[in-house]
Amino acid sequence: MRKEKKHSSIFEFIARAIMGSEPSADVNDAILRELCGSLGYDAGFIYMGDLDFGETLFLRGSVGSSNLLDFPETIDEDLRASRVVDAPTRSEIARRLNEKLKELFLGRQDPSLRESATILSLPVVENEQLVGIVGVVSLHSSPANTSHEAEASTTAVLTLIARDIRARYNKRQRHFLTHFLECAIDNAGIDIYVVDYHTHEILYINRSMAAPYGTPEGLLGQKCYLALYKDKTKECDFCPKQKLVDDEGNPTKVYAWDYRRPFDGAWFRVFSAAFRDEGDRLALVITSTNITEDKKNEFLVEKMALNDALTDIPNRRAFERDFERVVEAALREDKPGFILFLDLDNFKHINDAFGHEKGDELLCAVASYLDGFSNDRQKAYRYGGDEFIILIEDIEFETVAELVSLLLFRFAESWALDDLEYFCTASIGVAAYPADGVTYDALLNAADRAMYEAKKLGKSTAVYAQRDDQPRSEKMEMEFALRRAVLDGCEEFEVLYHPFVDMKTGRWCGVEALARWNSHAYGDVAPEVFISMCEKLGLISDLEQWLLSAAVGEVSTWRDRLPEDFFLSFNVSAMEFLAEGFKDFVAEKTQEFGYPSERLMLEVIESAPGAHRWSAEIKEGIDLLRSQGILVALDGFGIGNNSLERIQELDIDFIKIDRKFITDFMDDEIRVAVVKAIVMLARAARAKVCAEGVETDEHLACLKSIGCDYVQGRLFCKPKKGAQILSALLAHNAAIDSSDPAISS
């Protein structure tokens, strides 16, 4: 009865201890102490393994006291050497273990004591590894209670403690493995997060993935599109979840894509897959790797493959790639497009005269200019050598014609390289799609043939490779005719002259040389039409040089029949005035025909193309010409960009008030007042004033009263050919000389 009470009391104690708190080392020590006290053991011990120290067992608890016992702090090599856990049966493991423990605990005692002592231990084995030992020791041959029932009770209690040791070990192992895995994932160089397939709630996220947005703890439970995309309020339209399951909702495949993070531009290779957890919940795991450097290298390789090494604009390979896309879209959407094939004229001369380094610089300058045309609908390419292509999509013919004119105008100007100017024009072939073909070879060949036709026409021109049955615009046809007329030596052009009338004497004191185009195809073309076209097509320089040469040559033959103060005037565009070599050309022609430079006047109009360069260059050019004795007039005053301020800035001889300003000016008091102001300011600047467009006696009387120095207009004479104007001039002046010195019409 007493034995049963002792046995029941130990289990009652265990029940109270377990119910009172969570299992722990202190609870196990208390149970072990109660076991020893109740059943008469001298001591008890608990050894546990540590995950950080492999198979080493550490003393985690001991109860009872005896000077004869020696519990070592660790058990390691001794147990492995005895191969305790290699025994074939559990009872054999226990026997070997008890013998080894007796040797360890009582190894320094008398052999008779070791023989009489009893150790009852229980190994804690997990996955065939000894992770702990719990046991009791009796130093007497017969413990206080040696009944079979007492031994069974002891084994039961030790088993309970052993289970707790195993559970604590497994818990620590799980914690260790979880922490280890989290550390590994956090430092694996990849971002990972897991979301619920249906709710999008974040179930797990590693630190590297969470870092730009917060902490893992703060992001758990949030919806991924709210946590990771600040501009989203609902499921992302690019969410790949539907790509990861079959029609029954079962996980099937992995989906991958490249994603660029908007706030820092970093690139990621993203992989997404669906899976079911143990609770049959469907979830998505998303992993991503930073591939920013790979993308940079990829872009660099692509740029090297698709960009010209010298000029850094897209190359032929890029053109071939883009051509397929653009033409396919044009055919699908029924939208026209064009190819402009440009070839530099006489580029070989640049290389031969100045070296290939300068040639390369010129190619880079041209490429930079053409690249400036690139936008969503047009793009420039270096096709090879000195050939370039502009690919244009979704554009009408008239717009292309304007672009071609702009290109020709620019190429007619010089290219500045290291403070020096070089001239290099271009011939352009234009092919349209689908009109001239839809394949790469067909369109390129059409544009190439058109370009060579432009070369045959004298270069610095454009030819359209349209089929004969396709209509051309009348404006474009006239531009073709004008280009041929100018580049063929201006044989269709003639020089007319318009007199200057001295308001004081009434004499015709000079003439202005005017170009007129009598086209074989279009007849007499208005000056405002063909002059504007020449400016756009880059032909104005050729026309003006022809006019100067022809006029100086013809008027030189009249010298012995003209008064000493007679002068010849003609217009010069701002572009030509600033062109390299123009002033030398003027000096050369005056010397060639023996015409005195002081009797030559150049009229510069600021509103012409090139006036954006009106600056110190114009003033410097004017000063140079006047130093050679040449007269300079500021033409077109009162319109365009001219202003009263120009009179003060420029040292000029004449100011010509534009005919548009004079027309009907008598009905406008403000205009009359402005003309008076111009005359007064010109007087202060020691410049003469000439009014153009005088057509009535009222105009003449008003301008004379204001103090205008010279006038031009149909009131006196229409523009005439050389022989006619000379005859009229001599007759008019003779009449003036022989009559009352009043102005006669």
Side-chain angles (χ1 to χ4, degrees):
M1 189 71 181
R2 185 176 180 181
K3 294 178 183 179
E4 292 178 0
K5 185 175 181 180
K6 285 183 179 182
H7 298 164
S8 62
S9 64
I10 181 62
F11 289 109
E12 290 175 4
F13 176 82
I14 292 173
R16 288 195 303 272
I18 293 175
M19 292 176 63
S21 63
E22 291 291 330
S24 66
D26 293 339
V27 172
N28 288 336
D29 289 348
I31 293 173
L32 193 60
R33 185 177 297 105
E34 181 67 20
L35 175 63
C36 292
S38 299
L39 299 181
Y41 293 102
D42 295 296
F45 57 89
I46 299 175
Y47 281 89
M48 285 186 62
D50 192 310
L51 295 174
D52 294 335
F53 292 91
E55 298 180 359
T56 301
L57 301 180
F58 292 83
L59 181 65
R60 297 303 186 191
S62 62
V63 298
S65 61
S66 173
N67 294 331
L68 301 177
L69 285 171
D70 183 14
F71 293 133
E73 290 297 323
T74 61
I75 301 175
D76 185 5
E77 298 295 337
D78 295 324
L79 283 179
R80 286 210 301 273
S82 62
R83 305 182 64 81
V84 170
V85 295
D86 292 343
T89 63
R90 184 174 295 276
S91 59
E92 181 60 22
I93 291 175
R95 187 188 68 77
R96 292 186 184 182
L97 181 61
N98 289 337
E99 289 181 358
K100 190 61 183 177
L101 292 176
K102 185 184 292 187
E103 179 181 341
L104 290 173
F105 297 162
L106 300 168
R108 291 180 295 177
Q109 303 301 327
D110 184 272
S112 60
L113 179 61
R114 293 202 303 271
E115 187 66 28
S116 62
T118 300
I119 295 180
L120 185 59
S121 66
L122 193 64
V124 182
V125 179
E126 184 69 19
N127 296 327
E128 299 184 356
Q129 180 181 357
L130 187 64
V131 299
I133 304 173
V134 59
V136 292
V137 182
S138 176
L139 298 176
H140 307 286
S141 56
S142 298
N145 195 330
T146 58
S147 67
H148 178 74
E149 186 177 351
E151 184 175 342
S153 298
T154 300
T155 302
V157 173
L158 295 180
T159 300
L160 180 64
I161 296 174
R163 288 178 178 175
D164 178 61
I165 291 173
R166 183 181 295 106
R168 287 165 59 195
Y169 180 85
N170 287 336
K171 181 178 180 180
R172 290 178 58 203
Q173 188 177 46
R174 285 194 301 272
H175 176 76
F176 171 81
L177 291 175
T178 300
H179 179 70
F180 181 83
L181 182 60
E182 288 179 349
C183 289
I185 294 176
D186 285 337
N187 294 279
I190 58 174
D191 298 338
I192 300 177
Y193 66 102
V194 180
V195 299
D196 185 280
Y197 181 90
H198 298 287
T199 68
H200 294 279
E201 292 180 359
I202 297 177
L203 307 177
Y204 170 78
I205 185 168
N206 71 341
R207 294 196 178 277
S208 61
M209 179 68 208
Y213 312 97
T215 63
E217 296 76 15
L219 295 174
L220 291 178
Q222 292 192 41
K223 295 186 181 299
C224 59
Y225 51 81
L226 296 177
L228 307 180
Y229 304 96
K230 300 304 181 185
D231 59 334
K232 302 294 183 183
T233 58
K234 60 182 180 179
E235 178 182 310
C236 302
D237 51 5
F238 55 82
C239 182
K241 71 176 190 178
Q242 298 300 337
K243 300 179 175 66
L244 308 178
V245 296
D246 58 21
D247 294 339
E248 285 74 35
N250 297 315
T252 56
K253 65 186 78 172
V254 175
Y255 179 70
W257 74 99
D258 290 349
Y259 167 74
R260 191 177 191 186
R261 198 160 56 190
F263 58 81
D264 61 0
W267 280 94
F268 294 85
R269 180 70 45 78
V270 184
F271 296 89
S272 184
F275 69 96
R276 292 191 182 276
D277 62 13
E278 293 181 356
D280 202 35
R281 175 171 53 185
L282 188 61
L284 301 177
V285 56
I286 299 96
T287 65
S288 59
T289 304
N290 192 311
I291 59 169
T292 302
E293 287 302 318
D294 292 342
K295 278 291 183 182
K296 288 181 180 179
N297 294 333
E298 181 181 323
F299 294 150
L300 179 60
V301 170
E302 182 178 7
K303 182 178 180 180
M304 293 174 63
L306 299 177
N307 277 48
D308 180 60
L310 174 64
T311 63
D312 200 36
I313 68 171
N315 59 15
R316 180 188 301 192
R317 183 176 177 184
F319 169 67
E320 294 172 353
R321 181 198 63 179
D322 294 344
F323 175 87
E324 299 295 335
R325 173 186 58 81
V326 170
V327 175
E328 181 181 343
L331 295 175
R332 183 174 62 250
E333 301 171 14
D334 193 25
K335 293 181 178 179
F338 293 83
I339 292 176
L340 275 56
F341 197 108
L342 289 80
D343 185 89
L344 303 187
D345 298 327
N346 302 319
F347 177 73
K348 184 176 182 296
H349 295 171
I350 300 291
N351 277 336
D352 293 342
F354 305 103
H356 288 276
E357 183 176 348
K358 282 293 178 216
D360 288 347
E361 288 183 28
L362 177 60
L363 289 174
C364 290
V366 170
S368 178
Y369 170 74
L370 295 178
D371 194 46
F373 283 96
S374 295
N375 55 39
D376 292 340
R377 296 195 302 171
Q378 58 194 44
K379 191 172 183 180
Y381 309 81
R382 185 187 179 197
Y383 191 72
D386 59 347
E387 297 175 332
F388 296 86
I389 285 179
I390 299 178
L391 177 62
I392 312 174
E393 56 182 310
D394 188 17
I395 194 171
E396 297 301 326
F397 179 83
E398 291 297 334
T399 306
V400 170
E402 293 176 2
L403 175 59
V404 170
S405 295
L406 179 61
L407 287 169
L408 291 172
F409 175 74
R410 173 60 188 91
F411 275 91
E413 293 186 312
S414 61
W415 301 89
L417 306 176
D418 293 336
D419 298 327
L420 296 177
E421 293 187 331
Y422 299 83
F423 284 88
C424 185
T425 59
S427 298
I428 304 175
V430 185
Y433 57 85
D436 296 318
V438 295
T439 66
Y440 176 85
D441 290 336
L443 276 170
L444 197 62
N445 288 337
D448 188 49
R449 287 194 303 270
M451 183 271 293
Y452 278 105
E453 284 297 318
K455 294 279 189 185
K456 293 178 182 178
L457 289 174
K459 305 178 182 179
S460 188
T461 187
V463 170
Y464 289 73
Q466 294 174 305
R467 297 195 305 265
D468 293 337
D469 60 344
Q470 286 186 296
R472 300 176 187 263
S473 73
E474 182 178 350
K475 179 181 177 182
M476 187 58 60
E477 290 286 4
M478 183 176 288
E479 287 181 352
F480 292 154
L482 176 61
R483 184 177 298 281
R484 287 193 296 268
V486 172
L487 297 179
D488 286 346
C490 296
E491 293 181 358
E492 294 183 4
F493 288 85
E494 62 181 355
V495 183
L496 300 185
Y497 300 92
H498 201 206
F500 286 86
V501 179
D502 188 325
M503 292 287 282
K504 290 182 179 180
T505 66
R507 295 172 60 85
W508 292 5
C509 56
V511 290
E512 178 182 0
L514 305 170
R516 292 295 183 262
W517 182 28
N518 183 15
S519 170
H520 296 327
Y522 297 97
D524 291 334
V525 181
E528 57 269 22
V529 173
F530 74 80
I531 293 295
S532 175
M533 285 186 178
C534 282
E535 290 172 344
K536 287 200 309 177
L537 298 174
L539 301 172
I540 194 67
S541 175
D542 298 274
L543 181 62
E544 289 176 345
Q545 289 188 18
W546 169 83
L547 176 62
L548 185 147
S549 181
V552 170
E554 185 171 22
V555 174
S556 295
T557 64
W558 309 344
R559 286 292 298 154
D560 56 349
R561 306 176 66 182
L562 298 174
E564 288 294 327
D565 60 351
F566 185 88
F567 60 87
L568 168 64
S569 173
F570 67 95
N571 274 288
V572 180
S573 66
M575 182 185 75
E576 177 66 5
F577 187 85
L578 294 172
E580 183 180 10
F582 168 72
K583 299 166 189 65
D584 294 336
F585 177 80
V586 174
E588 176 187 329
K589 290 302 175 182
T590 55
Q591 292 174 10
E592 178 183 347
F593 296 108
Y595 191 86
S597 59
E598 64 271 14
R599 296 294 93 201
L600 183 65
M601 183 165 73
L602 304 181
E603 301 180 16
V604 184
I605 181 167
E606 183 184 2
S607 58
H612 60 282
R613 297 171 60 187
W614 190 286
S615 62
E617 285 185 84
I618 288 285
K619 187 177 187 308
E620 181 181 344
I622 289 175
D623 293 342
L624 178 60
L625 288 171
R626 295 188 80 249
S627 70
Q628 299 172 359
I630 297 174
L631 302 173
V632 178
L634 182 60
D635 193 16
F637 200 89
I639 62 171
N641 299 316
N642 283 307
S643 67
L644 295 174
E645 185 180 11
R646 294 296 182 207
I647 302 176
Q648 296 175 307
E649 291 179 354
L650 303 175
D651 189 9
I652 54 179
D653 301 286
F654 276 73
I655 295 171
K656 295 189 70 175
I657 302 174
D658 191 84
R659 69 179 64 252
K660 294 180 181 178
F661 195 80
I662 296 299
T663 302
D664 299 328
F665 88 109
M666 291 183 61
D667 298 327
D668 189 332
E669 294 182 0
I670 295 179
R671 286 194 179 190
V672 173
V674 170
V675 172
K676 289 181 180 180
I678 294 173
V679 171
M680 293 177 62
L681 189 57
R683 291 278 185 272
R686 297 188 299 277
K688 303 292 185 180
V689 177
C690 177
E692 299 178 298
V694 177
E695 297 184 354
T696 67
D697 291 331
E698 289 78 9
H699 283 167
L700 185 62
C702 183
L703 290 169
K704 185 175 182 180
S705 67
I706 289 173
C708 192
D709 300 295
Y710 300 93
V711 291
Q712 284 181 286
R714 293 180 179 270
L715 177 63
F716 311 102
C717 177
K718 295 180 179 180
K720 297 179 181 292
K721 295 181 180 181
Q724 295 172 335
I725 198 68
L726 177 61
S727 177
L729 182 150
L730 294 174
H732 177 84
N733 286 351
I736 292 293
D737 292 340
S738 63
S739 64
D740 187 83
I743 297 178
S744 173
S745 59

